[in-house]
Amino acid sequence: MEKGAIKGRFAPTPSGRMHLGNLLCALLAWLSARAEGGRVVLRIEDLDAMRSPRSYADLLEDDLRWLGLFWDEGGSSGGPDGPYYQSERTALYQAALARLEEQGLVYPCFCSRAQLHAAQAPHLSDGRVLYPGTCRDLTAQEVAQRRRQRPPALRLRVPDETVSFVDRHLGPYSENLQQECGDFLIRRSDGVFAYQLAVVVDDAAMGVTQVVRGADLLSSTPRQLYLYRLLGLPSPTFAHIPLLTAPDGRRLSKRDGDLDLGAIRRRLPGPEPLLGLLGWLCGLLERAEPVRAQDLVPLFSWDKIPQGDLSLPAALWELLE
Ligand code: GLU
């Protein structure tokens, strides 16, 4: 790839069929890269291979093709920086872990989820519990003894430092790592690497220059920027996009089986009405008229995209339901 070239990506977790919120994310990530003449990477985030079978990843590719959101490298098409399935990239995460361990920043944590939730630790805005540091300073002897009872997860020690960045869409954002985030998991006790580590390793290894993703991941960004620094990797730019809500204000989620692409494709003859609806919701079109994905490329600009959650109008919701 030519140096300085723009590269965007869509990095879905295929734990179910895509819903409208995932589609909005795929669309805006694609438009943002294409509007700048950039390439698009499709990375399948199937770290938890049990919950993300290949059949879902294949369906996801089929949905993206149906939508006209073609990618240049990744997924089953492969490419120069593959494999593009996180389940096949463990050796890279292992190497990154070794670099963090060399810096003395990783420690084993034996706390169960139930113990953490029972602890009197503050809950963070995204529902996580601020890790109270229970296993931070265990002696070698305590570690050895606990290892006999259960395999540990691995946590990264964070400093009392504020990490700031300017989101391309939402503006300045900062978080104090120790007070607002806490020592965070980089590998689960079952050996599965955590999203935070994998996403940093992969975006850097794949030469991604811009990350566009849902606003629910805004508060992950300071942790990821900290990892970029520790690993000596160049960081991309970040833009966090609005989440879609149902007319009753509920956020769409895969778990609720909300309007997935399977149901939508059974109702619509082609993707154009849906792309028109999303283009209009995002302020790129004056009316929700049918369009192709590539018709939206020249209309794309971050200034037009709203910043808050986007509520699906009831009439359109009914049309699709
Ligand atoms: N795999 C994540 C998801 O599907 C997105 C990760 C990212 O875009 O950084 O929610």
Side-chain angles (χ1 to χ4, degrees), residues 110-120 129 132 134 150:
F110 299 89
C111 299
S112 67
R113 195 183 286 249
Q115 278 167 330
L116 290 178
H117 280 270
Q120 294 304 312
V129 173
T134 321
R150 55 177 304 193

Side-chain angles (χ1 to χ4, degrees), residues 186-246:
I186 51 172
R187 203 179 71 189
R188 299 191 329 204
S189 60
D190 61 3
V192 173
F193 279 95
Y195 155 69
Q196 306 294 353
L197 181 71
V199 76
V200 165
V201 168
D202 289 347
D203 279 333
M206 295 174 184
V208 168
T209 63
Q210 54 172 267
V211 166
V212 174
R213 60 187 177 194
D216 52 334
L217 289 170
L218 178 66
S219 70
S220 287
T221 309
R223 271 171 280 172
Q224 293 171 15
L225 285 168
Y226 178 54
L227 282 170
Y228 276 106
R229 187 178 355 131
L230 295 177
L231 295 170
L233 298 170
S235 57
T237 61
F238 293 92
H240 290 87
I241 64 155
L243 300 176
L244 287 182
T245 58

